[in-house]
């Protein structure tokens, strides 16, 4: 049985693990947004940045990419993902069904936000998000780099996201 991972943010452009196959995929019941304060990778405890997470929203859909893990690398891959994604326990690791573009439904390891976690910040308006992203820097670099890379990769995949595109443009203006 193939292990799948659902990518909707930085895993799109920096999976960090070997990928045997990729397919466009839709996850029902979740919305991609900057609803998680980043205190490690794209910000600090003193000045948190923002990273994308999947927030449970009735009737929502998130389109991303399902990535198949090569046989035999499942243990190594899940260990890597847990080290990367569960660094502060703000994400919950779930096995969720996603629909691939070819019509198949597969179960994919998916990281969603824990709305009870202190790092959860759903509902921030876009201007506030832009102000935070324009100035935050963490262990993996500037927060704006994360936004720009994700927005660019979504556009390349033919998955424009109006909120992310607005944020990218606004952050570029704030940094100019």
């Amino acid at each position: 049985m193939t292990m799948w991972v659902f990518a909707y943010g930085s895993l799109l452009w920096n999976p960090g693990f070997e990928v045997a196959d990729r397919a466009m995929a839709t996850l029902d019941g979740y919305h991609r947004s900057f609803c998680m304060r980043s205190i490690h990778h794209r910000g600090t405890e003193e000045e948190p940045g923002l990273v994308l997470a999947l927030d449970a929203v009735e009737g929502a859909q998130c389109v991303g990419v399902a990535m198949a893990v090569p046989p035999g690398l499942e243990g190594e891959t899940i260990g890597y993902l847990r080290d990367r994604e569960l660094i502060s326990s703000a994400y919950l690791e779930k096995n969720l069904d996603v629909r691939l573009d070819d019509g198949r439904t597969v179960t994919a390891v998916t990281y969603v936000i824990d709305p009870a976690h202190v790092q959860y910040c759903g509902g921030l308006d876009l201007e506030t998000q832009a102000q935070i992203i324009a100035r935050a820097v963490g262990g993996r670099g500037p927060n704006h780099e994360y936004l720009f890379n994700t927005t660019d990769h979504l556009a390349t995949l033919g998955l424009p996201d109006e909120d992310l595109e607005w944020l990218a443009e606004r952050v570029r203006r704030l940094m100019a």
Side-chain angles (χ1 to χ4, degrees):
M1 192 158 133
T2 302
M3 176 182 163
W4 292 87
V5 177
F6 183 67
Y8 58 87
S10 64
L11 287 174
L12 292 170
W13 48 271
N14 182 24
F17 60 91
E18 192 173 332
V19 177
D21 191 17
R22 286 178 167 78
M24 301 297 284
T26 302
L27 173 64
D28 290 325
Y30 289 88
H31 172 70
R32 171 185 28 239
S33 68
F34 279 101
C35 63
M36 180 176 148
R37 294 188 194 284
S38 178
I39 59 173
H40 299 289
H41 297 316
R42 298 297 173 167
T44 62
E45 288 191 29
E46 297 76 30
E47 190 163 355
L50 295 173
V51 290
L52 293 167
L54 291 173
D55 208 354
V57 176
E58 190 173 331
Q61 288 187 328
C62 178
V63 181
V65 175
M67 299 177 179
V69 175
L73 295 181
E74 297 88 352
E76 175 184 321
T77 300
I78 198 70
Y80 165 78
L81 288 169
R82 287 175 177 161
D83 286 347
R84 172 180 168 163
E85 303 297 331
L86 302 180
I87 189 168
S88 68
S89 303
Y91 283 126
L92 301 172
E93 180 182 285
K94 294 192 174 194
N95 292 309
L96 299 174
D97 288 342
V98 298
R99 282 186 324 281
L100 305 183
D101 273 3
D102 66 9
R104 290 180 292 158
T105 297
V106 299
T107 301
V109 175
T110 307
Y111 293 94
V112 304
I113 190 71
D114 177 355
H117 197 277
V118 67
Q119 286 175 253
Y120 176 71
C121 60
L124 292 177
D125 64 83
L126 290 175
E127 180 61 28
T128 300
Q129 291 176 42
Q131 295 289 333
I132 293 168
I133 292 168
R135 69 176 184 270
V137 179
R140 292 208 174 161
N143 205 172
H144 68 267
E145 176 185 272
Y146 174 95
L147 167 64
F148 297 160
N149 280 335
T150 303
T151 305
D152 290 347
H153 278 77
L154 287 170
T156 299
L157 292 168
L159 301 174
D161 183 307
E162 288 181 20
D163 287 349
L164 295 188
E165 290 172 359
W166 186 92
L167 280 169
E169 178 58 34
R170 179 66 179 134
V171 168
R172 283 185 176 96
R173 286 196 317 263
L174 288 169
M175 294 174 53

